Amino acid sequence: MDHSPPSWSRVSDLFDLALELPVHERSAFLDRACAGDIVLRNELESLLAADAQAGTFLEGDALSIVRDAAGSGSERLPPADRAGDVVGQFRLQRRLGYGGMGDVYVAHRFDGQFEQRVALKLIRPGVGSAEVIRRFIAERQILARLQHPNIAQLIDGGATSVGQPWFAMELIEGAPITTWCDEHRLGIPERLQLFEHVCEGVRFAHQRLVVHRDLKPSNILVNTTGEPKLLDFGISKVLGDGDSGGDPKTLTGIWLMTPEYGAPEQVRGDPITTATDVYSLGVVLFELLTGHRPYRMERLTPREMERAICDTDPITPSAAVTGAVERHTRDGGVQRTSVDALAAARQTTPEKLRHLLRGDLETIVLKALRKDPAERYPSAEALLEDLRLHRAGLPVRARQLTAAYQFRKFVRRHRVGLAAAAAVVLALASGLATTLWQARVARQEAKRATAVTNFLIGVFRSTDPAEAKGRDVSAREILDRGVAELDTAFANQPALKSELLGVLGILYRGLSLYPRADSVLRRSLELARSSSGPESPAVAARLSDLGSVLHNEGKYVEAESLLARAVTIRRRTLGARHPDLAASLLEWGIALQALGRDSASERARLDAVAIDRDFYGSEHTEYISDLAGLAVFYAEVDRPREADSLSAIVLDWRRQHEDSLSPNLLTAMYNRALRFTDKGELDSSEALLREVERKRRILHPSGSDEIAYPLHSLGTVMLARGRLAEADSLFRAALNIRATALGPRHPLTAQTVNQLAVTSYRRGDFVSAESLFQLAGTSFDSTHGPQHRYTVTARQNRAAALIELRRFSEAEVILREELQRAVNARGPDDVQVATIRRNFGVVLHRTGRLAAAERELRETLRVTLTSYDAGNPRLADVWTSLGDLLIDRGKAAEAEPMLADALRIRERALDETDPRVVETRRQLARARTQLPTR
């Protein structure tokens, strides 16, 4: 029998399982688990014995432990330097540092496969308590699940020939974030932007239920490219893992973290949450902004630190930079930094620095430093959102939104506009001639208003019982009567007739009567051209209205042309900051997006947002509508984080300011539901969509294509849950509405056809799926063009069906063409490119080209990890495909954690009988059968 040391992953798994059992049941468990493996049995029994002995040590007072450690630290000799030793495939070069648990070395790979330098961490000989080993292995397992650009990456791991566990991770050559910012003399805005990347990394860990528990500048290094990286998850905890993180009352005290950055609950031994990391981030942010920490302590003793952290209110950031501040060091010395030097390192003066720190920024920092976790930001994501709002000049959530506060924010953003308004008021008061002119205009407007009133009375007379004669009169009949009335009315007022036809056209659009709206608006446009001139604001208004209706009809090329013309006219006649220009820019941006011109679309939308923010203010419904459209845009172009943040802001505002049946509120709820679907939060998505459907049926009792939206999206949720029969029924209901209201070749109809095809694919009916994907792709090609994401998605979906039909050559031709086209148009880091690349990798895998398939799937994983948050279903798709391939490549040990994570995501969102759950479970079992048993 082979008596080589057992793998540490196997030891760790069995050790954790044994700890969950009562003591009297462990022996029988070891009999079954070890199956006669004496070495494995002895290892587990020694770990269990060490664990039992460790309990009394860990129950000691945390502060006395740290006091003893601090008092004797200078007398302890460093462990023997092991530079030159071989560990796994790496040779140790030089020691970076050492601590109570192990050593960290710079190491390089020596097996000749490729050049690689890493930071390698290993437990020292003689350090073998169960808790130390468990914590070391836990850190390795946590790092394996945290793949994010702002977190140092795990590269390899194993055990030495004498059974010492080790792992190698990305070597970060850089400086602590505070040092790096000072050396590069970053201003406050640049420091905040860098800190937001840190929050992104912590947010990613929180979304994977990992709390770091030791965030400090030395664990946040900035590399040579200016990218911050989180290090040292040695005392981090996985929330909900029970014993895996240790007893919070004994293991999370002040001795396990760096005291100056620890939260009050860590000192007290209270439960740890994501708000614990928020507190540490607050301390780091305080130091980053001011150069100092939020507490002034005369001595760095445990009791002094406990008093400061738990009982003393932090000084405010602006107060921290009122003069030179002395900081006591651990060796008893004093470090003194002048306020002038602090300000100079931030490219400002002391007075300007204090001004920058006061107000919202100070409020954000102090909220992160609240003693009570319930009063802090609940997560790094919430802190990040307020920092972004602050940098955008918007009201932050940490402040109470009083009228005075919002007015100050408005004034600060619109100083130029308000000054101009004051000048206008003075100018209007300067002469009687202006007053007389206004009176004359008022008389003209009164006559105009009377004519419009008489016209409307005539139109709505059809609803009078004497006219209707007991018959219900529809909204369309009222509009049709209005158009007929206009054919004879206002013969001598063509400009007014054009404007009223424009109003009626928009009302037709609101009833989803797009062909009728098209016809009426074209008449309105011609009248405006003849009465006001081809370059007039009136013509621009009619062009903008008609362009938006053409977009609804799916006539994207003509819509874009008309809207571009409207933008040109309005910019020339109204100026660059007029809200009517913003309206045309928004409509133009929508048309550009439909044609796949995403960069131009984003520029147009952002220009409109800036105009409306300056004109209306950040609390006006027009500005909120702009943000809503921007959120939809970011979702369409696969920028989920921006879409998620903006959709949340829009929905919060709509709920506070609008009626429960407001169409704008229902649209905000609908868009928020889509973001929940994107994140895999299907319960939240379904609840919102069902409410939207119910309320839209109240608003449209006779039916409307508006009802098709929630039906279609509910089908997508059911599809994600694996409830295929329900999905099919919902898609067919949406398709019936859309085909009737919009026509069989409308892009929205094609979207529902595409989802029906996906449902057929999931059912295993690949013949029907392939046919429906082809139909959807043809429709998208005719309306959006061959390079639009909808066309590309339908074509690559068809390729996926062809793969299942084993028509590999046809699938490969499609995917090669689409991949090259998408890379040229969007670049290699686009998420749609990654999706095409995944399918291409699967084709290569199925046709036996394993090395090439691995390259494609690893590139897919890289892009997916940087584009989506943890728990997103798309990660599960990629991990399953890559894990399947790695097993066939003999890399089951690497595949196993990927497949385990993919299974957790899919089991959380899907029924256990769903084919995707079954597939991932089967691949995971296949990986585990190939792992070494000893």
Side-chain angles (χ1 to χ4, degrees):
M1 181 177 289
D2 182 6
H3 294 291
S4 59
S7 71
W8 273 104
S9 62
R10 180 165 171 75
V11 171
S12 173
D13 289 345
L14 293 177
F15 180 45
D16 287 341
L17 289 172
L19 283 176
E20 294 176 1
L21 297 173
V23 174
H24 67 276
E25 294 182 11
R26 292 178 181 176
S27 179
F29 168 77
L30 294 179
D31 291 339
R32 295 190 303 273
C34 298
D37 188 330
I38 299 173
V39 175
L40 177 60
R41 176 74 178 246
N42 289 340
E43 186 66 40
L44 288 169
E45 287 180 341
S46 66
L47 288 176
L48 290 168
D51 180 73
Q53 295 170 1
T56 55
F57 165 72
L58 294 174
E59 290 165 4
D61 174 60
L63 288 169
S64 63
I65 292 170
V66 75
R67 185 188 301 113
D68 294 342
S72 60
S74 60
E75 300 169 5
R76 291 178 298 175
L77 295 176
D81 194 332
R82 297 181 56 184
D85 288 2
V86 171
V87 176
Q89 295 79 39
F90 300 95
R91 188 180 302 280
L92 307 183
Q93 290 182 302
R94 59 183 175 85
R95 185 162 56 198
L96 284 173
Y98 61 90
M101 186 164 65
D103 303 333
V104 181
Y105 287 84
V106 175
H108 74 279
R109 183 180 287 271
F110 71 89
D111 57 10
Q113 293 188 18
F114 50 87
E115 287 294 321
Q116 187 177 41
R117 297 176 75 234
V118 300
L120 191 144
K121 187 173 183 176
L122 74 165
I123 291 181
R124 288 197 307 274
V127 180
S129 78
E131 181 55 39
V132 167
I133 293 173
R134 289 180 63 224
R135 189 163 295 285
F136 188 93
I137 294 173
E139 180 182 7
R140 188 169 70 185
Q141 291 171 334
I142 285 170
L143 284 172
R145 65 197 291 179
L146 296 179
Q147 299 184 52
H148 187 273
N150 298 118
I151 298 176
Q153 301 297 288
L154 179 70
I155 293 173
D156 202 351
T160 66
S161 58
V162 295
Q164 296 169 265
W166 61 271
F167 62 81
M169 62 186 297
E170 180 183 2
L171 178 63
I172 309 299
E173 297 184 290
I177 186 170
T178 47
T179 304
W180 194 89
C181 288
D182 287 346
E183 289 176 348
H184 289 77
R185 295 174 60 83
L186 262 60
I188 294 300
E190 292 76 22
R191 289 172 186 248
L192 290 175
Q193 190 170 12
L194 186 69
F195 185 75
E196 285 175 13
H197 289 290
V198 177
C199 292
E200 288 277 9
V202 179
R203 175 176 72 169
F204 183 84
H206 286 178
Q207 289 170 335
R208 308 213 74 176
L209 303 182
V210 174
V211 182
H212 189 286
R213 302 202 291 186
D214 195 20
L215 292 168
K216 56 185 177 181
S218 61
N219 281 341
I220 307 169
L221 299 188
V222 183
N223 63 19
T224 53
T225 64
E227 189 76 19
K229 298 275 189 175
L230 298 179
L231 304 174
D232 197 355
F233 283 77
I235 67 167
S236 58
K237 176 177 175 59
V238 179
L239 298 176
D241 270 9
D243 196 47
S244 66
D247 180 358
K249 293 182 180 179
T250 55
L251 291 181
T252 61
I254 197 170
W255 68 283
L256 273 180
M257 43 74 183
T258 306
E260 297 95 317
Y261 299 90
E265 60 267 27
Q266 288 178 283
V267 175
R268 293 190 295 259
D270 292 341
I272 300 302
T273 67
T274 52
T276 303
D277 278 351
V278 169
Y279 185 93
S280 299
L281 285 171
V283 180
V284 173
L285 179 57
F286 192 107
E287 187 170 358
L288 203 59
L289 298 174
T290 69
H292 304 289
R293 297 183 191 125
Y295 303 105
R296 291 173 174 164
M297 292 179 277
E298 296 183 4
R299 295 174 299 151
L300 288 177
T301 64
R303 295 298 178 191
E304 177 74 9
M305 286 186 288
E306 179 184 18
R307 183 192 63 77
I309 294 169
C310 295
D311 302 324
T312 305
D313 289 334
I315 56 178
T316 63
S318 57
V321 292
T322 54
V325 179
E326 294 182 348
R327 182 185 301 168
H328 294 259
T329 59
R330 289 186 178 277
D331 60 5
V334 176
Q335 178 183 352
R336 181 181 177 86
T337 307
S338 72
V339 68
D340 290 326
L342 288 173
R346 289 150 181 81
Q347 295 191 14
T348 187
T349 64
E351 184 55 39
K352 288 181 179 178
L353 178 58
R354 285 189 288 273
H355 177 74
L356 287 170
L357 296 178
R358 291 191 188 106
D360 284 353
L361 187 53
E362 197 159 73
T363 301
I364 291 170
V365 175
L366 294 177
K367 182 176 176 65
L369 292 174
R370 296 279 176 83
K371 304 296 184 186
D372 186 347
E375 295 179 357
R376 285 179 221 143
Y377 293 102
S379 65
E381 182 171 18
L383 171 60
L384 175 62
E385 183 178 346
D386 248 9
L387 288 171
R388 286 176 170 168
L389 288 170
H390 167 71
R391 287 210 304 126
L394 299 175
V396 301
R397 294 172 183 256
R399 292 286 293 268
Q400 185 178 359
L401 293 180
T402 63
Y405 168 58
Q406 294 180 71
F407 179 74
R408 286 196 302 272
K409 298 294 287 186
F410 176 83
V411 170
R412 190 171 296 129
R413 290 196 304 276
H414 307 295
R415 287 191 181 96
V416 175
L418 290 173
V424 169
V425 171
L426 291 173
L428 289 175
S430 65
L432 179 60
T434 300
T435 305
L436 294 174
W437 174 80
Q438 286 178 328
R440 185 166 60 252
V441 170
R443 286 193 298 272
Q444 292 173 348
E445 287 299 313
K447 291 181 180 179
R448 187 172 182 269
T450 300
V452 172
T453 300
N454 291 334
F455 164 72
L456 292 174
I457 290 172
V459 169
F460 283 94
R461 189 178 294 119
S462 60
T463 63
D464 188 295
E467 291 274 338
K469 296 181 173 58
R471 182 175 58 85
D472 287 335
V473 179
S474 68
R476 173 165 186 165
E477 288 179 277
I478 296 173
L479 295 179
D480 288 345
R481 178 163 182 159
V483 173
E485 292 278 350
L486 279 175
D487 284 338
T488 57
F490 305 111
N492 298 322
Q493 295 174 278
L496 181 55
K497 183 175 181 177
S498 169
E499 187 174 346
L500 288 170
L501 280 172
V503 172
L504 294 172
I506 294 302
L507 291 172
Y508 277 119
R509 177 193 179 189
L511 295 174
S512 301
L513 301 171
Y514 302 126
R516 184 63 173 152
D518 185 329
S519 174
V520 170
L521 287 170
R522 287 184 191 276
R523 290 179 57 194
S524 174
L525 175 61
E526 290 309 311
L527 277 170
R529 280 175 172 155
S530 63
S531 62
S532 304
E535 301 294 310
S536 65
V539 166
R542 302 292 83 76
L543 286 169
S544 195
D545 292 340
L546 179 57
S548 67
V549 169
L550 290 170
H551 181 273
N552 290 133
E553 293 183 278
K555 300 175 182 177
Y556 298 132
V557 175
E558 186 181 2
E560 189 277 328
S561 176
L562 293 184
L563 289 164
R565 186 67 186 151
V567 167
T568 300
I569 294 172
R570 281 182 159 170
R571 184 175 279 131
R572 184 171 59 248
T573 58
L574 303 177
R577 310 304 295 173
H578 197 283
D580 286 351
L581 172 62
S584 291
L585 282 168
L586 286 171
E587 295 288 354
W588 187 40
I590 293 170
L592 288 167
Q593 182 184 351
L595 295 176
R597 294 164 60 184
D598 294 339
S599 296
S601 176
E602 183 177 17
R603 286 195 299 273
R605 290 173 183 271
L606 290 175
D607 285 347
V609 169
I611 292 170
D612 281 345
R613 182 184 61 211
D614 291 343
F615 187 85
Y616 294 111
S618 62
E619 289 298 306
H620 194 278
T621 184
E622 289 293 335
Y623 176 66
I624 297 300
S625 295
D626 296 349
L627 296 186
L630 196 58
V632 172
F633 168 79
Y634 285 135
E636 286 284 319
V637 298
D638 286 313
R639 289 164 63 176
R641 294 188 180 98
E642 293 101 320
D644 185 56
S645 176
L646 286 174
S647 68
I649 291 171
V650 171
L651 181 56
D652 286 349
W653 192 94
R654 297 282 192 212
R655 278 180 165 156
Q656 291 177 35
H657 295 85
E658 299 194 359
D659 180 79
S660 63
L661 285 178
S662 160
N664 286 334
L665 172 58
L666 297 184
T667 299
M669 292 167 62
Y670 173 78
N671 289 328
R672 188 71 186 130
L674 299 190
R675 306 293 75 78
F676 284 134
T677 302
D678 292 342
K679 296 190 294 183
E681 298 175 19
L682 301 183
D683 289 341
S684 299
S685 179
E686 182 178 352
L688 277 178
L689 289 170
R690 293 200 183 279
E691 185 177 356
V692 171
E693 181 199 359
R694 178 177 62 82
K695 291 183 175 179
R696 281 188 174 171
R697 289 190 185 276
I698 294 172
L699 292 174
H700 304 281
S702 299
S704 167
D705 68 312
E706 291 291 310
I707 298 170
Y709 285 91
L711 290 174
H712 175 100
S713 298
L714 278 168
T716 302
V717 170
M718 295 305 111
L719 190 60
R721 290 190 187 281
R723 288 151 58 175
L724 302 182
E726 293 177 67
D728 186 86
S729 176
L730 288 161
F731 288 136
R732 291 187 185 279
L735 182 61
N736 182 56
I737 295 173
R738 285 179 165 173
T740 301
L742 307 173
R745 298 185 66 81
H746 193 279
L748 291 175
T749 307
Q751 286 183 28
T752 305
V753 170
N754 186 78
Q755 290 300 82
L756 267 176
V758 175
T759 308
S760 296
Y761 181 94
R762 295 273 172 81
R763 283 202 310 260
D765 184 0
F766 303 119
V767 174
S768 295
E770 190 268 335
S771 176
L772 290 170
F773 283 135
Q774 188 170 21
L775 178 62
T778 302
S779 293
F780 288 139
D781 196 356
S782 66
T783 54
H784 294 75
Q787 296 190 23
H788 193 274
R789 70 181 62 80
Y790 291 165
T791 311
V792 173
T793 297
R795 283 174 57 80
Q796 68 152 334
N797 284 344
R798 180 178 175 232
L802 289 170
I803 292 171
E804 298 302 329
L805 292 170
R806 304 190 65 78
R807 291 158 61 181
F808 297 125
S809 59
E810 294 177 69
E812 184 171 347
V813 168
I814 292 173
L815 291 169
R816 280 189 185 278
E817 179 183 341
E818 293 301 332
L819 183 58
Q820 186 61 53
R821 181 184 292 167
V823 168
N824 291 340
R826 302 175 180 280
D829 293 337
D830 182 80
V831 291
Q832 188 170 48
V833 172
T835 303
I836 301 170
R837 196 183 296 280
R838 172 179 167 255
N839 283 330
F840 184 50
V842 171
V843 168
L844 295 173
H845 183 192
R846 297 284 185 92
T847 53
R849 290 166 283 178
L850 303 188
E854 184 173 346
R855 286 195 299 272
E856 299 295 339
L857 290 174
R858 286 194 185 279
E859 177 64 9
T860 300
L861 180 61
R862 180 188 69 80
V863 175
T864 306
L865 285 169
T866 58
S867 302
Y868 294 100
D869 294 329
N872 192 289
R874 299 199 191 192
L875 278 174
D877 296 341
V878 180
W879 275 327
T880 299
S881 297
L882 180 56
D884 182 23
L885 171 70
L886 290 173
I887 296 170
D888 290 343
R889 294 272 284 164
K891 302 177 181 179
E894 185 179 0
E896 193 272 342
M898 292 182 185
L899 292 165
D901 282 345
L903 184 60
R904 275 192 288 272
I905 292 173
R906 287 184 162 176
E907 284 182 334
R908 184 169 62 244
L910 305 171
D911 185 85
E912 65 176 8
T913 61
D914 186 278
R916 288 163 293 174
V917 175
V918 173
E919 174 197 17
T920 307
R921 189 179 291 128
R922 178 173 59 82
Q923 298 298 352
L924 181 58
R926 195 160 73 94
R928 286 174 174 168
T929 60
Q930 294 188 21
L931 293 175
T933 58
R934 65 191 73 224

